[in-house]
Amino acid sequence: MNQEVIPDNWDTQQHILVILAHPDDPEFFCGGTIARWIKAGHKVSYCLLTCGEKGTQDRSINTDTLCSIRQQEQRAAAAVLGVKSVKFLDHPDGYLVPDLILRKEITRVIRQAQPDVLVTCDPTNLYVRETYLNHPDHRAAGQATLDAVFPAARDHLNFVELWRDEQLEPHIVREVWISLPQDPNVIVDITAHWKLKLRALSEHVSQIGDREQLEERMRSRHTPDSSPENPRFEEKFKRLVLG
Ligand SMILES: [Zn+2]
């Protein structure tokens, strides 16, 4: 792994747009890094492609109810971290496909928000660990988002109606940070932001079950070179510098 020293010491305030599939993805994948960026004065906003309305084993709950619960949980978690805005595109959970409809919608969001930095996840990652099969929505979200960054958001003749009819100017995203990467090139030490990440995660009540168990499970993810008494935590990314 080609590890760089933290490359997020930007000189000016960055607008960082996080585009992922489900409520709780931002906090689970990169909540510590988001906290770190906001603390450093950067502006972060979210776009979630679904409301995660199928994420339950509870047979008594319907998808409409779970959708609104999860949207509220996501807004509360974002508020804990200091995220400026949360947008939902309302695609059906579990059925996300990186088609041209989704690519166009994400292109619209990118052109509206005009982020300096965009965060998504790795579309090539089929399994994150030996015990975790990656959700197909995560892969689809990563694929559609990367395809929207380039060339669709950049070149005005891609989805020309966005430029012609909606007056949305093309936009070049300067950096893309890909979370859950197969092949990371950036490791962010989030130890100082670990507690805030956990506090944000704990807002996703419908997903986490017992809070103490979650904390224990998350704590076990400390780096191999640290101890349970003095744990250190990291989040990894593939960082692409495009513009
Ligand atoms: Zn997810």
Side-chain angles (χ1 to χ4, degrees), residues 12-228:
T12 55
Q13 187 195 47
Q14 303 292 295
H15 177 203
I16 300 158
L17 175 62
V18 179
I19 304 182
L20 291 167
H22 310 119
D24 83 14
D25 288 350
E27 288 76 29
F28 268 118
F29 298 178
C30 47
T33 304
I34 290 167
R36 173 190 162 92
W37 286 339
I38 290 171
K39 219 154 199 127
H42 303 298
K43 178 183 152 199
V44 177
S45 49
Y46 288 176
C47 174
L48 286 317
L49 304 183
T50 80
C51 62
E53 75 278 5
K54 298 195 183 82
T56 186
Q57 305 295 322
D58 180 351
R59 297 188 181 198
S60 68
I61 196 165
N62 66 42
T63 51
D64 283 351
T65 306
L66 188 56
C67 179
S68 72
I69 289 171
R70 295 204 64 187
Q71 286 186 344
Q72 283 172 31
E73 290 172 350
Q74 182 58 90
R75 290 186 203 285
V80 168
L81 298 179
V83 171
K84 288 282 177 223
S85 71
V86 181
K87 186 185 184 73
F88 293 92
L89 291 191
D90 298 326
H91 281 260
D93 180 19
Y95 303 154
L96 207 57
V97 282
D99 59 13
L100 289 173
I101 295 168
L102 183 60
R103 191 191 302 179
K104 179 178 170 182
E105 289 182 23
I106 296 172
T107 301
R108 178 183 285 116
V109 169
I110 293 171
R111 289 198 189 178
Q112 286 169 336
Q114 306 203 330
D116 304 297
V117 178
L118 186 144
V119 178
T120 189
C121 59
D122 189 342
T124 70
N125 203 346
L126 272 171
Y127 23 84
V128 182
R129 292 177 294 277
E130 286 171 16
T131 53
Y132 178 60
L133 200 54
N134 198 10
H135 196 297
D137 285 356
H138 297 166
R139 288 185 277 119
Q143 187 69 62
T145 303
L146 293 177
D147 294 346
V149 167
F150 175 83
R154 194 197 71 170
D155 294 344
H156 73 290
L157 292 178
N158 282 264
F159 305 122
V160 66
E161 60 276 21
L162 294 178
W163 168 67
R164 190 189 57 210
D165 304 335
E166 299 182 35
Q167 290 78 51
L168 290 171
E169 287 294 320
H171 179 71
I172 296 175
V173 175
R174 204 189 64 250
E175 291 188 28
V176 178
W177 287 54
I178 299 171
S179 58
L180 297 195
Q182 294 245 63
D183 177 27
N185 60 2
V186 168
I187 294 181
V188 180
D189 188 325
I190 58 150
T191 308
H193 310 283
W194 183 249
K195 283 201 173 122
L196 202 57
K197 171 174 169 132
L198 279 182
R199 261 185 56 207
L201 273 174
S202 69
E203 294 291 342
H204 294 283
V205 176
S206 70
Q207 302 300 300
I208 59 172
D210 183 79
R211 190 171 161 171
E212 276 179 22
Q213 274 178 9
L214 169 84
E215 291 200 12
E216 214 173 287
R217 185 158 52 94
M218 296 299 290
R219 213 175 299 123
S220 72
R221 295 191 190 163
H222 61 77
T223 61
D225 66 349
S226 63
S227 65

